[in-house]
């Protein structure tokens, strides 16, 4: 049987722990590609082929989510310890979509010059998390 022809992979087992470490600092999965000099597509290919790398991505994502959420909760409790609360909120809504998904509905027209209405809704899990944090403080 003929061996497949192609460029040898740059994948190394050590990338699993490096990915978890990278994402634990708050960096994204995609930005890890630049740190090891490969394209984002290479990471996605490795994620499909290497089970250990796929598990490392899942663990790294959990650690990143934990960091972002902790920073936001700490900032909301302490107020002045947060360098940029708006940025943290944006991260929560985009990084932790399942827990902090917000729905924005904007109703405005150029003709009426009426104020813009924005409706934001949070998931049940988010509401419970907020209640727990308030109860603890």
């Amino acid at each position: 049987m003929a061996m497949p022809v192609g460029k040898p992979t740059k994948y190394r087992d050590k990338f699993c722990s490096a990915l978890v470490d990278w994402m634990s600092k708050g960096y994204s999965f995609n930005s890890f590609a630049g740190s090891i000099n490969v394209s984002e597509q290479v990471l996605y290919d490795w994620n499909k082929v290497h089970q250990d790398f796929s598990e490392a991505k899942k663990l790294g994502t959990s650690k990143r989510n934990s960091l972002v959420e902790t920073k936001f909760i700490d900032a909301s409790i302490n107020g002045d310890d947060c360098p940029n609360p708006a940025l943290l909120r944006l991260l929560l809504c985009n990084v932790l979509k399942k827990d902090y998904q917000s729905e924005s509905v904007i109703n405005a027209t150029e003709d009426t010059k009426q104020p813009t209405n924005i409706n934001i809704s949070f998931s049940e899990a988010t509401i419970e998390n907020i209640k727990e944090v308030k109860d603890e403080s």
Side-chain angles (χ1 to χ4, degrees):
M1 177 190 257
M3 295 295 291
V5 178
K7 199 173 187 179
T9 183
K10 293 182 178 182
Y11 180 80
R12 301 290 176 267
D13 289 337
K14 68 181 181 180
F15 290 149
C16 293
S17 61
L19 175 62
V20 172
D21 290 344
W22 181 260
M23 294 182 75
S24 295
K25 296 173 186 168
Y27 297 112
S28 69
F29 176 71
N30 290 345
S31 69
F32 181 66
S35 76
I36 60 170
N37 296 316
V38 299
S39 70
E40 291 176 13
Q41 185 58 52
V42 168
L43 292 186
Y44 285 100
D45 292 343
W46 291 348
N47 191 51
K48 289 178 190 172
V49 176
H50 301 283
Q51 183 64 33
D52 288 346
F53 192 74
S54 177
E55 291 301 318
K57 180 186 179 206
K58 291 174 189 172
L59 178 58
T61 298
S62 294
K63 287 182 171 275
R64 179 179 186 224
N65 293 351
S66 178
L67 175 70
V68 170
E69 190 170 32
T70 300
K71 292 281 187 190
F72 183 76
I73 290 171
D74 288 349
S76 67
I77 292 170
N78 301 326
D80 55 0
D81 291 336
C82 179
N84 192 334
L87 177 59
L88 282 173
R89 185 176 186 290
L90 180 67
L91 280 170
L92 280 174
C93 291
N94 288 286
V95 173
L96 302 170
K97 290 178 186 176
K98 292 177 189 172
D99 295 325
Y100 292 92
Q101 187 73 40
S102 63
E103 176 187 347
S104 298
V105 179
I106 300 174
N107 301 313
T109 64
E110 291 286 327
D111 300 343
T112 63
K113 304 288 185 196
Q114 295 295 317
T116 301
N117 298 317
I118 300 176
N119 302 316
I120 299 175
S121 61
F122 293 99
S123 69
E124 283 295 318
T126 301
I127 293 168
E128 289 305 312
N129 286 340
I130 292 169
K131 287 179 183 174
E132 287 175 21
V133 169
K134 285 184 178 179
D135 291 343
E136 291 173 6
S137 56

